[in-house]
Amino acid sequence: MRELSGTIKNPQRHYLLLTFFISLGTAALLFIPFMIYHGGIFYYYGDFNVQEIPFYQLIHGEIQNGSLGWNHLTDLGTDTIASYSFYLLGSPFFWMTLPFPNEFVPYLIGPLLILKFACAATAAYIYVQRYVSHKGFAMIAGLLYAFSGFSIYNVFFFHFHEPMIVFPLLLAALDAFLYDGRRGIFAVAVCAACVVNYYFFAGQALFVLIYFLILTFGKTYKFKFTAFLMLAAEVLIGFCAAAFMLLPSVLGILGNPRLETLPNGWNSLVHDKPQRYWLVVLGFLFPADIPAMPVFTPDSDCKWASVAGWLPMFGLTGVLAFLQTNRRDWLKRVITLLILFAMVPVLNSMFQLLNSSIYYTRWFYMPVLMFSLATARALEDSSADWKRAVAWSTGLTAGAAALIGFMPYISGYSKGKNKYILGVQEESSRFWQYVLIAMAGLLAFVLVYKKFMNTKKRMVIASTVVMLTVAYLTSFMIIGVGTLESSSTKPIKEDIINSRDDIKINDLENVRSDFYECVDNTAMYWKVQSMNCFQSSVSPSIMRFYKAMDIPRDVASRPDFSDYGLRGLFSCKYYFDYNKDNKDKDKDECFTFKNGETKMPGWKYLKTCNHFDIYENEYYIPMGFVCDDYSTEEEFERVNADDRTQMILNTLVLSRETMKKYADITGYDDEEYKVLYGKYPQRFDSHLDDFTYSNTYDSYYKRCKSLAADSCKLFYYTDDGFAAEYENKDREENIMFFSVPYSEGFTAKVNGKSVDVEKVNYGFTGVKIPADKHIKIEFHYQTPGLEQGIIISLSALAAYTLYMTGVILYRVLRKKLYNRNGADENEVR
């Protein structure tokens, strides 16, 4: 096997192109049948259908329209860069769609996915080829990586393949720096990895650190202090160069409750779900489970955790063959350490900056790459004991299958006796299909190895053909099951995608709508405003508001019918109820009872379009209104959680500081409120305690009518924010409320004069309005951190230019000195 030394010379360059085109062709054969079946668009299910496709189409349209600031079509409004840099803004594949019409974007998703698989295989080849003498084995490693269980599992998350592509290139760039003395490439790779996806970059940075330390302390790489300083400089330059994307993204997600949970107590050392230990091992022994449809460990609470890593045909056989070789090797240390990290919760969480809000193993593409490398090296290593490795791999696979498939458990009680069932898997048929595929793959490898082991070229060809056959059939089954199980594909395909023009409502784009219990992000497909949104990185102000209302908001905004007050607060005018599936009217999934009465007050049937029953809000409150009552946050928090979505329409909630700032409007008095902020806050007599909650909806109706009568006569979004016009009938100063999430990026003008933007109602915007009769309000938005990030990136680019100029000048001078003195170049170095 080839050791690390000097610059790589590659006489087998055609394998690079072979890797790309073979993976491209295999991916095309895999996805094109599904595209043809669905009329040219690749649909899958779950997040793929309701996030990945509409996200691409929405942001594509926004950028084509010149808008990259405030996005009012995502939830109640959010910053575009902060909310979508995780999903697509850093992806070169997304930017490839810009020349195409917006309606054509869904048709590009399938081809882009095919291209991503090809790029992932090629990137892995570029990294692995250094460590093998026959590049055919690097091709095998690249194909294993691209069609691994992790890759197939995460078709569900369309944006996960970009990190899979950039990660091998990052390691290849580091290797080139360490072993070939190539300068500048690693800085570019660091910048690219960070821009592509900041979340995955955190894990990649940790891996690179581990990788470098193992190479250094294991003496695979001879440490040089000067080179280390240059490496550190490249890391810093590359990281800073990504600031134009990174800084706005980080500032935009600070305060997101999903980032606030750190490792705690014993849960940091052991999993609270024991099945997770099994799942980690099973994820590498068997083909990928299907997100949201786990079959191996149904009680592991890992439906979307990306616990997958199976290598087609080989499974763990190649890894075991490599690990059982006698010689010490850096790769063995890396693999051993990765296994430890996978098993200990706190170590696992380090790949996502110690965030422990939910169990994820979305860094498993890293061990997959190392396992693919180990397999390639074992195939080339004549000392590898494949018989022993196959025995171990078969034993582990068969043993796990037997234990899970035949373990008895009590499933009920019948005729005075316990009823026993064999097998603790979720679904027997699919479980045994997985077992059959895994075992058949091992058998196929044994036959290939016995037949072709003596000839490298034939071994490469046979392994590639059989491995891709196994990968293709397995992947087709997994993706086919997901496609057939999809409940969203049919309504999206028939009634939603590119079907906005079929909805004949004149002002639909100018108001918010409610799509509760419809296909998630239907509004996003149509590019209309909605209070419903399935997106996890929206403005933290939205998260804070829902938390204050005691309404769950983790990955989606879906307040139910009992929170009908929010429809008034958020200025929702239309409600869409998808009726094609004959939903059960006794359940919350349907908007009407069997007698036709709506489940929220004040809505009347308008029309039916695209199988959506559309209702209009008779209690509609236009955007921008004033309130005649004020309370502090501490005061409001005393209101019963079940009543808060009603109360929030009756009072404007401000921080204590804001109440003081506008005391002439709010009536705040320190003497009165000192009880609330004193030693016995329970003695504070709040006017909120006098509010009567009615079950007849009368008070809600009256309040909505009152607020609507004192709301803006005109409200519209602009290229860089929004504007409104208001007729101040009472000719009094007041604070105007907009249900637009608060952001420090907003500045405001009232009648041409700059005013402070205040955070009101826990997370929305408010401004003081004067006693003038005619009032025009303008909000302008600039993404926080974007300007500073661009400056940092440009500075990093200048530093990179100086750095590379210095490197080039040094090498030119060194070469001249070498030629002049005839000295040994290593001495000059």
Side-chain angles (χ1 to χ4, degrees):
M1 198 208 82
R2 185 186 181 104
E3 295 292 343
L4 298 174
S5 61
T7 304
I8 298 298
K9 293 182 180 179
N10 185 4
Q12 304 169 73
R13 294 175 182 172
H14 63 282
Y15 278 109
L16 176 66
L17 294 176
L18 272 177
T19 303
F20 178 82
F21 286 110
I22 288 175
S23 55
L24 186 73
T26 305
L29 288 174
L30 176 60
F31 293 110
I32 285 178
F34 295 102
M35 294 165 60
I36 294 174
Y37 178 74
H38 288 302
I41 298 176
F42 176 71
Y43 294 102
Y44 196 25
Y45 75 106
D47 291 21
F48 188 94
N49 287 356
V50 302
Q51 282 196 327
E52 310 296 351
I53 298 176
F55 287 1
Y56 254 63
Q57 192 168 27
L58 172 67
I59 303 304
H60 176 276
E62 291 291 282
I63 292 176
Q64 282 193 334
N65 293 330
S67 176
L68 199 59
W70 188 254
N71 187 303
H72 63 279
L73 299 176
T74 300
D75 211 298
L76 300 171
T78 192
D79 181 84
T80 301
I81 295 178
S83 293
Y84 288 98
S85 57
F86 170 70
Y87 292 99
L88 51 83
L89 282 177
S91 169
F93 298 95
F94 167 74
W95 294 96
M96 291 168 61
T97 67
L98 286 187
F100 296 89
N102 189 251
E103 293 77 12
F104 199 70
V105 170
Y107 295 89
L108 299 174
I109 298 296
L112 289 178
L113 190 57
I114 293 169
L115 183 58
K116 287 184 183 184
F117 270 74
C119 291
T122 307
Y125 171 89
I126 290 171
Y127 169 66
V128 173
Q129 57 90 29
R130 172 182 296 275
Y131 298 97
V132 293
S133 57
H134 193 292
K135 305 310 174 189
F137 295 120
M139 179 180 72
I140 291 175
L143 296 172
L144 285 173
Y145 181 69
F147 293 94
S148 64
F150 184 90
S151 183
I152 298 302
Y153 180 106
N154 288 298
V155 167
F156 188 80
F157 301 108
F158 183 68
H159 57 292
F160 280 21
H161 287 82
E162 281 89 337
M164 284 190 68
I165 295 168
V166 77
F167 176 63
L169 299 178
L170 184 66
L171 295 185
L174 178 58
D175 283 350
F177 181 97
L178 298 178
Y179 303 119
D180 303 337
R182 301 187 67 179
R183 303 296 182 242
I185 298 177
F186 189 61
V188 174
V190 169
C191 178
C194 192
V195 168
V196 161
N197 194 296
Y198 61 86
Y199 170 85
F200 284 92
F201 176 74
Q204 292 167 359
L206 175 62
F207 183 93
V208 166
L209 178 61
I210 294 171
Y211 186 82
F212 177 77
L213 291 176
I214 287 178
L215 292 180
T216 301
F217 287 104
K219 298 183 179 180
T220 304
Y221 164 70
K222 186 177 179 181
F223 181 81
K224 299 174 184 176
F225 185 71
T226 304
F228 174 76
L229 291 179
M230 296 180 74
L231 180 64
E234 292 203 20
V235 171
L236 182 61
I237 290 172
F239 183 74
C240 290
F244 73 96
M245 184 74 74
L246 181 64
L247 188 57
S249 301
V250 172
L251 292 177
I253 63 172
L254 289 177
N256 190 315
R258 300 187 79 197
L259 305 176
E260 295 174 355
T261 306
L262 295 174
N264 181 40
W266 272 103
N267 285 342
S268 303
L269 303 177
V270 292
H271 288 297
D272 56 351
K273 306 283 186 180
Q275 290 186 19
R276 288 178 183 170
Y277 293 106
W278 275 84
L279 183 57
V280 170
V281 177
L282 297 171
F284 290 92
L285 289 175
F286 296 97
D289 222 335
I290 301 177
M293 292 182 274
V295 67
F296 291 101
T297 56
D299 297 323
S300 61
D301 193 20
C302 294
K303 287 186 175 182
W304 299 277
S306 302
V307 188
W310 182 69
L311 301 185
M313 186 175 77
F314 291 93
L316 287 177
T317 308
V319 180
L320 293 171
F322 176 77
L323 293 177
Q324 290 173 3
T325 55
N326 293 325
R327 61 191 192 141
R328 299 171 63 184
D329 193 280
W330 66 270
L331 183 55
K332 289 184 180 181
R333 297 187 182 98
V334 170
I335 290 174
T336 303
L337 197 58
L338 290 179
I339 293 172
L340 176 64
F341 271 72
M343 292 299 181
V344 181
V346 67
L347 297 180
N348 177 79
S349 69
M350 289 178 68
F351 285 97
Q352 48 187 16
L353 293 178
L354 294 177
N355 179 22
S356 302
S357 61
I358 192 169
Y359 175 70
Y360 285 143
T361 61
R362 292 177 172 177
W363 59 278
F364 269 19
Y365 62 96
M366 300 178 190
V368 167
L369 181 62
M370 296 298 105
F371 287 4
S372 300
L373 171 59
T375 300
R377 289 183 58 179
L379 285 171
E380 195 174 55
D381 192 343
S382 59
S383 68
D385 188 346
W386 284 98
K387 183 177 180 180
R388 186 182 176 193
V390 168
W392 271 96
S393 185
T394 304
L396 288 171
T397 305
L403 287 172
I404 295 173
F406 297 111
M407 181 64 65
Y409 79 99
I410 300 173
S411 66
Y413 192 76
S414 178
K415 297 180 180 180
K417 296 181 179 180
N418 290 330
K419 183 179 179 181
Y420 286 90
I421 288 183
L422 289 180
V424 292
Q425 68 275 8
E426 179 69 15
E427 183 184 333
S428 291
S429 60
R430 191 151 51 90
F431 170 78
W432 289 112
Q433 289 173 9
Y434 283 138
V435 172
L436 178 62
I437 291 171
M439 297 301 291
L442 294 175
L443 176 60
F445 169 73
V446 171
L447 296 176
V448 168
Y449 190 77
K450 283 190 173 182
K451 179 71 174 177
F452 301 104
M453 62 180 294
N454 294 323
T455 307
K456 285 186 177 181
K457 186 175 181 180
R458 291 184 178 180
M459 182 65 184
V460 167
I461 295 173
S463 296
T464 300
V465 171
V466 177
M467 179 264 291
L468 286 179
T469 301
V470 173
Y472 177 82
L473 295 175
T474 306
S475 302
F476 196 90
M477 180 198 78
I478 292 171
I479 294 172
V481 170
T483 302
L484 293 174
E485 291 291 328
S486 173
S487 61
S488 60
T489 298
K490 187 176 180 181
I492 291 174
K493 181 179 177 181
E494 296 180 357
D495 298 316
I496 298 174
I497 197 165
N498 291 336
S499 298
R500 164 62 188 93
D501 292 341
D502 298 332
I503 310 297
K504 306 297 183 182
I505 300 177
N506 292 333
D507 63 345
L508 185 59
E509 281 83 8
N510 302 322
V511 297
R512 286 202 184 114
S513 299
D514 189 356
F515 289 82
Y516 182 67
E517 291 296 345
C518 294
V519 171
D520 279 322
N521 292 330
T522 296
M524 201 174 287
Y525 271 108
W526 290 344
K527 298 183 180 62
V528 299
Q529 302 173 60
S530 174
M531 62 177 287
N532 315 102
C533 181
F534 179 26
Q535 217 266 30
S536 58
S537 56
V538 295
S539 170
S541 293
I542 296 173
M543 306 286 194
R544 283 193 292 267
F545 172 79
Y546 279 113
K547 184 178 181 180
M549 296 299 106
D550 198 32
I551 298 174
R553 206 302 178 190
D554 45 11
V555 298
S557 298
R558 303 184 186 112
D560 60 31
F561 294 143
S562 63
D563 300 311
Y564 57 85
L566 295 185
R567 276 68 181 183
L569 184 75
F570 296 158
S571 301
C572 284
K573 188 173 183 180
Y574 299 107
Y575 182 93
F576 287 78
D577 185 24
Y578 192 66
N579 64 9
K580 193 172 183 178
D581 300 326
N582 296 317
K583 295 185 287 189
D584 189 343
K585 295 186 181 295
D586 287 333
K587 296 182 180 180
D588 268 358
E589 64 184 14
C590 186
F591 188 48
T592 58
F593 295 105
K594 290 183 178 179
N595 62 3
E597 182 181 349
T598 60
K599 294 181 180 178
M600 290 192 297
W603 296 83
K604 66 175 181 180
Y605 173 78
L606 185 65
K607 62 170 70 175
T608 297
C609 299
N610 290 26
H611 297 101
F612 285 89
D613 289 336
I614 306 173
Y615 297 81
E616 185 174 358
N617 188 1
E618 295 180 290
Y619 301 173
Y620 169 66
I621 307 171
M623 283 280 282
F625 57 81
V626 295
C627 197
D628 53 8
D629 188 85
Y630 303 89
S631 59
T632 65
E633 292 176 348
E634 294 81 2
E635 191 176 356
F636 186 85
E637 287 162 7
R638 292 160 42 130
V639 175
N640 186 287
D642 293 336
D643 298 324
R644 290 178 185 174
T645 55
Q646 284 193 61
M647 177 58 80
I648 199 70
L649 279 173
N650 290 271
T651 184
L652 194 65
V653 185
L654 308 173
S655 67
R656 185 184 185 187
E657 293 72 21
T658 307
M659 285 280 283
K660 279 186 179 182
K661 182 177 178 179
Y662 300 105
D664 55 331
I665 297 175
T666 64
Y668 177 87
D669 183 79
D670 268 326
E671 188 67 23
E672 178 184 350
Y673 275 86
K674 70 179 182 180
V675 178
L676 179 62
Y677 297 102
K679 189 175 181 180
Y680 303 102
Q682 67 275 11
R683 297 178 182 176
F684 179 72
D685 184 18
S686 172
H687 64 284
L688 299 184
D689 299 336
D690 300 329
F691 180 76
T692 301
Y693 299 93
S694 171
N695 294 324
T696 63
Y697 303 136
D698 289 342
S699 61
Y700 174 64
Y701 171 78
K702 292 177 181 178
R703 188 59 183 160
C704 289
K705 288 298 183 182
S706 173
L707 292 174
D710 210 5
S711 63
C712 290
K713 68 174 183 179
L714 182 64
F715 176 90
Y716 55 95
Y717 285 97
T718 61
D719 291 339
D720 65 342
F722 60 92
E725 295 181 16
Y726 173 68
E727 295 295 327
N728 193 349
K729 301 172 185 176
D730 296 331
R731 302 275 186 102
E732 293 180 352
E733 291 184 337
N734 216 321
I735 298 176
M736 177 158 285
F737 166 80
F738 294 96
S739 56
V740 175
Y742 174 85
S743 170
E744 293 183 357
F746 277 117
T747 57
K749 289 183 178 181
V750 176
N751 287 344
K753 296 180 180 180
S754 296
V755 296
D756 293 338
V757 178
E758 305 295 348
K759 183 190 295 183
V760 302
N761 282 352
Y762 288 98
F764 295 102
T765 56
V767 291
K768 178 183 176 180
I769 59 172
D772 302 347
K773 182 178 180 181
H774 303 289
I775 296 175
K776 183 173 183 180
I777 304 167
E778 300 171 281
F779 275 75
H780 302 279
Y781 185 78
Q782 184 175 14
T783 299
L786 178 59
E787 183 177 339
Q788 297 87 338
I790 292 174
I791 293 172
I792 295 172
S793 295
L794 291 176
S795 300
L797 179 60
Y800 180 78
T801 303
L802 290 174
Y803 170 79
M804 290 305 299
T805 301
V807 169
I808 294 170
L809 288 175
Y810 171 75
R811 290 185 172 177
V812 169
L813 292 174
R814 186 185 67 183
K815 186 175 182 180
K816 287 183 177 181
L817 183 61
Y818 169 75
N819 292 333
R820 181 185 303 170
N821 299 334
D824 180 75
E825 187 174 359
N826 288 326
E827 293 179 6
V828 176
R829 183 181 302 177

